[in-house]
Amino acid sequence: MTDETIHDEVLRLAAEAAIDYRAQPAPGFEQVASFEQVLETLDACLPENPADPAEVIGELVSKMTPGLRPMTSPTFFGWVIGGSHPTGVAADWLTSAWGQNSGNVVITPAAAAAEQIVSTWLLELLGLPPTSSVGFVTGATIANFVALAAARGELLRRVGWDVERQGLYGAPVIEVLIGADAHATVYSALRYLGLGSERVKAIETDESGRMRPDSLRDAFQSIDGPAIVIAQAGQINTGACDPFTEICTIAHDHGAWVHVDGAFGLWAQASPRFRHLTQGVELADSWATDGHKWLQLPYDSGFAIVKDRAAHERCMSIEASYLPSAESSVREPSAYVPELSRRARGFAAWAMIRALGRSGIVEMVERHCDFAAALGRKCVSIPGVRIVAPIELNQLMLRFGESDEATLATVGEIRRRGRIVIGPALWRGEWIMRVSVCNFGTGPDQLPEVEREIAAAWNDVRSQLLDGPRDKAIAAS
Ligand SMILES: *Cc1c(COP(=O)(O)O)cnc(C)c1O
């Protein structure tokens, strides 16, 4: 075979293997091979000689498939993650095949054009100021990092300090005020930026994890310098969104910058039925959201959005003599992200939004929220099951038998049964079962099965707990 036919062959093999994988029923959570088991099948020695590419792809498929978690399945509720929609995956294959190093508008015009169009689409879908800038990053963690870098730079510029040139040594202090139930990755972003994860002032939250505006107002009484308020659309356990109108009013009265971590919750903005939850979010100064969660794009995809385009550009622009510079009015993809070389994430995002359309996205978001609410209604009628926080978005938290032991055992039993995937989480010091509804294929069709699995698992656990250790011993043997 010539090199060309070998190359054709590997691409076809990969496509076929991917199609086969997606056509097969998802394995149960615990049927998946462990890290050690997969490792055992892999030769640890560095390959000395070339191998046949088709065989390599075949080996990749046969050795890795047993260790793949069923994350694309419509009955996967383990984390708030999307399902890697086939349309996004197909566009992502092309992205890889086209091999565009997408940092520069002159060198990679198609990649830059796709990003530019998707930027305007996203701002419209999410109801954010239309002149905001959008950086195409790996996910919400880096989107938070980029947006907070813009905040840091702009706040210090206003007090006469150029952090991009001078760094942080000797700079005026920036106070960071953050809801007590913020996502762990926001603290990572603060760490990367030299703002420290422990210097923050935690703002009290309500029973659903929403920031309390009165506590924010109190915190500002002892602050008169630059400040960043980090709010949240979609608490990772409850789905709750902060009261943005009040938060933005208080923060802006003090000249502070408001950043919103909206990894998944920001998508409520797309829906006329759920937009009230994120009311006022457009008043913030920057936002982070994910493409690989509610938009269903394959990994990795996130968007860093900043109202002040110049602040965004100042913190992220990269210039080099060997790169042509575009007209200053043209959007340069690398000016909004930390990387220079990077995959052209705009292609998959363009295809996904083009394929779903606004109405498809709205329908999906609403279907997921309705699913969580309907499942909650079913579960409260099961004796011994309690809904832990009001269901507002796509997240449902359940507690079983009012005990950690019973709740964790029920999660374990569901995983052992292997038909659906649900995970545990700690909330206010207690273990809960968390159902995250975020897969494009999930809808009313799955509802009876999910309800049945939860009820059956709890039934087993309850009878074991009530019948005592004798039955437990039998069950364990
Ligand atoms: C998922 C999530 C993140 C982190 O996003 P990645 O895409 O994993 O980087 C941050 N904040 C919230 C609220 C999230 O749900």
Side-chain angles (χ1 to χ4, degrees), residues 78-129:
W79 290 277
V80 202
I81 56 179
S84 293
H85 193 289
T87 306
V89 172
D92 200 58
W93 285 345
L94 288 169
T95 305
S96 292
W98 289 340
Q100 300 292 290
N101 183 331
S102 65
N104 186 281
V105 71
V106 178
I107 296 175
T108 51
E115 282 195 9
Q116 177 151 321
I117 296 298
V118 172
S119 298
T120 60
W121 285 356
L122 277 173
L123 297 172
E124 194 177 335
L125 271 168
L126 300 173
L128 300 179

Side-chain angles (χ1 to χ4, degrees), residues 80-81 138-144 181-186 232-237 261-265 288-293 299-302 395 434:
V80 202
I81 56 179
T138 52
T141 305
I142 297 302
N144 281 323
D181 289 297
H183 196 268
T185 58
V186 178
Q232 176 168 255
Q235 206 283 333
I236 193 74
N237 292 315
D261 175 8
F264 65 100
T289 196
D290 264 313
H292 53 228
K293 286 181 179 168
Y299 299 98
D300 40 25
S301 176
Q395 300 288 94
R434 193 182 63 178

Side-chain angles (χ1 to χ4, degrees), residues 148-391:
L148 290 169
R152 183 186 69 167
E154 172 58 17
L155 289 172
L156 289 177
R157 195 190 62 80
R158 288 183 203 161
V159 292
W161 188 271
D162 184 345
V163 74
E164 273 80 34
R165 283 164 184 248
Q166 296 169 265
L168 271 180
Y169 294 112
V173 166
I174 299 178
E175 297 290 353
V176 178
L177 302 105
I178 182 168
D181 289 297
H183 196 268
T185 58
V186 178
Y187 293 91
S188 306
L190 292 171
R191 240 170 38 224
Y192 309 153
L193 288 164
L195 295 172
S197 57
E198 289 186 8
R199 275 188 64 259
V200 301
K201 287 193 174 17
I203 306 300
E204 256 180 77
T205 48
D206 69 10
E207 65 287 352
S208 290
R210 264 182 297 261
M211 210 191 288
R212 290 183 185 280
D214 47 340
S215 301
L216 181 65
R217 205 174 281 119
D218 289 349
F220 266 114
Q221 282 180 354
S222 55
I223 294 173
D224 62 358
I228 303 172
V229 176
I230 303 179
Q232 176 168 255
Q235 206 283 333
I236 193 74
N237 292 315
T238 64
C241 300
D242 284 333
F244 299 112
T245 308
E246 284 172 278
I247 288 175
C248 291
T249 305
I250 297 165
H252 289 157
D253 278 353
H254 289 87
W257 178 293
V258 180
H259 170 67
V260 177
D261 175 8
F264 65 100
L266 197 55
W267 292 85
Q269 278 283 94
S271 156
R273 277 181 52 213
F274 291 94
R275 195 175 292 155
H276 65 278
L277 297 173
T278 43
Q279 196 174 19
V281 76
E282 70 283 355
L283 302 171
D285 301 283
S286 61
W287 306 264
T289 196
D290 264 313
H292 53 228
K293 286 181 179 168
W294 238 337
L295 190 54
Q296 310 296 325
L297 283 167
Y299 299 98
D300 40 25
S301 176
F303 309 104
I305 309 172
V306 181
K307 185 157 76 180
D308 181 343
R309 176 177 294 268
H312 196 167
E313 289 174 358
R314 272 196 302 272
C315 69
M316 291 291 144
S317 283
I318 303 166
E319 281 162 32
S321 61
Y322 58 84
L323 296 172
S325 48
E327 309 255 336
S328 60
S329 61
V330 172
R331 179 188 180 281
E332 194 69 89
S334 64
Y336 308 97
V337 297
E339 308 92 347
L340 179 58
S341 302
R342 125 194 104 87
R343 74 188 288 100
R345 296 196 184 90
F347 292 137
W350 181 89
M352 202 64 251
I353 299 176
R354 179 77 186 80
L356 292 172
R358 189 206 296 262
S359 67
I361 291 169
V362 172
E363 182 278 324
M364 176 175 61
V365 166
E366 295 181 352
R367 169 160 40 88
H368 291 160
C369 297
D370 289 343
F371 187 104
L375 184 61
R377 282 193 298 273
K378 300 278 189 194
C379 289
V380 279
S381 65
I382 307 172
V385 181
R386 178 169 63 88
I387 293 185
V388 177
I391 307 160

